[in-house]
Amino acid sequence: MDRIMVPSHDNQNVPLTLIYDTSVVRDKSHPQPVIISGYGAYGTSMELNFNYQRLLLLKKGFIVAFAHVRGGSEKGREWYTQGKACTEYLINNKYTNKDLICSRGISAGGLLVAGALSMRSDLFKCSIIKVPFLDVTGVMTDPLLPLTEHEVDEWGDPIQSKQVLDYISKYSPYDTLLNADLSTLKDANIYLVGCEDDYRAPLWNVVKYLARLRNLFRDDNSPIAVLKVHQTGHLDEAYGFYAQRKQTAEEFYFISKSLKLDI
């Protein structure tokens, strides 16, 4: 495992953790496939623990990367407002290339991944976006939704502040899809996961995002977009033992087909 400090555009060093199988020889002339994950919200640090499901990926030569971007608290409260994504670093330093990168985010991490996909779809071949928060503007401007009032401390209050509303619309994935580069977005396959009774990341905001994505492409030259809906739960653990493993198998299959690999 390596911990790299990646210089960002605002002169902050972004921690990037790389996990890989040391028996797989890294050759810069042969880029390796990468799954890069992030969260970046609520001041929550990404706790890296053992996950046996990653072993298959590591044995297949994957680099599993974790971008400790702004919004987490890995460097205290100051870091809560700083940081940048790390995908460009992995490409520029010959770890991988854009055709071998899968981004993955869960819950608020889905916002991070979907937002990055809208802004830089040229960097990702596929993305797995699970129980995500995608229509930040729509949720935060509806005071009748159960969590809107409690989320003001995290995202701001766009009802009371036009400045906050404008700021949210610049990163909310549902909004930023309209500014995406369709010439590269068409090659970025997307696997979405939602839950019917998820009050934290309502299913309707996932479906709404998917509908807008499909409306952007009126012909056959469009990205593959898959939606998997669970009946209950928010995070993987809530699906149940067997459903969770089936979900993981489906994700690995999606990755292998998108990156044209044999997993």
Side-chain angles (χ1 to χ4, degrees), residues 56-74:
L56 173 62
L57 298 175
L58 298 177
K59 290 298 182 183
K60 291 293 184 177
F62 273 78
I63 296 173
V64 179
F66 297 91
H68 304 275
V69 299
R70 65 176 180 173
S73 57
E74 284 82 351

Side-chain angles (χ1 to χ4, degrees), residues 161-168:
S161 171
K162 177 65 163 53
Q163 182 180 8
V164 171
L165 176 63
D166 292 341
Y167 182 71
I168 288 177

Side-chain angles (χ1 to χ4, degrees), residues 14-241:
V14 185
L16 172 65
T17 301
L18 305 179
I19 301 174
Y20 53 89
D21 186 347
T22 56
S23 68
V24 178
V25 179
R26 191 168 93 79
D27 181 356
K28 288 189 176 183
S29 64
H30 294 86
Q32 293 174 247
V34 168
I35 294 181
I36 184 167
S37 302
Y39 188 75
Y42 304 107
T44 301
S45 299
M46 292 183 69
E47 299 294 339
L48 304 185
N49 49 24
F50 176 77
N51 184 326
Y52 73 89
Q53 295 171 352
R54 298 189 191 119
L55 294 179
L56 173 62
L57 298 175
L58 298 177
K59 290 298 182 183
K60 291 293 184 177
F62 273 78
I63 296 173
V64 179
F66 297 91
H68 304 275
V69 299
R70 65 176 180 173
S73 57
E74 284 82 351
K75 281 196 168 184
R77 181 68 187 182
E78 180 182 354
W79 190 243
Y80 185 73
T81 58
Q82 302 293 334
K84 297 289 182 181
C86 301
T87 306
E88 283 184 313
Y89 176 89
L90 294 172
I91 295 174
N92 294 338
N93 287 273
K94 309 298 183 183
Y95 284 91
T96 189
N97 62 48
K98 64 182 182 63
D99 293 323
L100 291 173
I101 298 178
C102 175
S103 58
R104 184 176 184 270
I106 301 176
S107 192
L111 186 160
L112 170 71
V113 167
L117 185 63
S118 292
M119 299 174 192
R120 291 296 307 275
S121 52
D122 59 303
L123 295 177
F124 308 101
K125 188 63 178 178
C126 66
S127 295
I128 295 176
I129 305 172
K130 304 177 68 172
V131 290
F133 188 26
L134 298 177
D135 185 13
V136 187
T137 306
V139 170
M140 295 307 300
T141 53
D142 187 347
L144 299 180
L145 294 176
L147 285 185
T148 300
E149 180 179 351
H150 301 285
E151 294 290 313
V152 167
D153 287 343
E154 181 68 17
W155 311 109
D157 189 347
I159 297 176
Q160 299 295 328
S161 171
K162 177 65 163 53
Q163 182 180 8
V164 171
L165 176 63
D166 292 341
Y167 182 71
I168 288 177
S169 67
K170 291 179 181 179
Y171 68 78
S172 175
Y174 180 72
D175 297 296
T176 57
L177 261 183
L178 296 177
N179 301 319
D181 183 350
L182 301 187
S183 67
T184 56
L185 184 61
K186 67 179 177 60
D187 297 320
N189 299 335
I190 304 172
Y191 185 103
L192 291 160
V193 179
C195 292
E196 292 181 5
D197 67 352
D198 192 342
Y199 68 91
R200 284 181 282 184
L203 179 60
W204 62 260
N205 90 120
V206 183
V207 175
K208 188 177 178 182
Y209 174 89
L210 180 59
R212 172 162 285 182
L213 177 68
R214 288 178 172 171
N215 285 336
L216 291 174
F217 295 92
R218 295 292 187 177
D219 52 33
D220 294 332
N221 194 26
S222 62
I224 296 173
V226 177
L227 173 60
K228 174 68 175 290
V229 178
H230 292 275
Q231 183 176 2
T232 188
H234 181 66
L235 302 177
D236 284 352
E237 294 80 3
Y239 304 157
F241 182 86

